[in-house]
Amino acid sequence: PLTRLPAYPLTRLSSLPPGVTEVHVRPAVDTPELRAQTPDWPARVDDHDLVVNDHSLGALLNRVGAELIGYRELRDLQRAGG
């Protein structure tokens, strides 16, 4: 659980300041096409496992009080001036 992530992002996630923080992942299913297309395919497959199967990232975000929102919610907050 979360052992694939470097310590730096874990430390950052554990001490998020108030406001908007974007966490960028590029999840992908392991396929021959993916392996042929990009040299960083192992990281993308790990990202897929992290967001689909590993619940420890969600548990960490809950523990620190982070609220997951999408771009629609962010847009609405920006339009409302908040």
Side-chain angles (χ1 to χ4, degrees), residues 6-80:
Y8 176 73
L10 289 178
T11 302
R12 298 284 300 203
L13 289 176
S14 297
S15 58
L16 291 174
V20 175
T21 300
E22 181 176 348
V23 177
H24 181 82
V25 293
R26 297 183 300 174
V29 175
D30 188 3
T31 64
E33 180 181 12
L34 178 69
R35 289 176 181 230
Q37 182 182 38
T38 180
D40 71 339
W41 67 266
R44 293 178 186 221
V45 172
D46 280 351
D47 283 354
H48 182 269
D49 186 54
L50 180 67
V51 299
V52 173
N53 301 317
D54 186 342
H55 301 288
S56 56
L57 176 60
L60 172 63
L61 295 174
N62 284 333
R63 192 168 59 249
V64 299
E67 179 182 346
L68 299 179
I69 63 170
Y71 284 111
R72 183 173 291 133
E73 293 89 352
L74 183 58
R75 179 203 61 204
D76 293 346
L77 285 169
Q78 290 173 326
R79 288 180 177 170

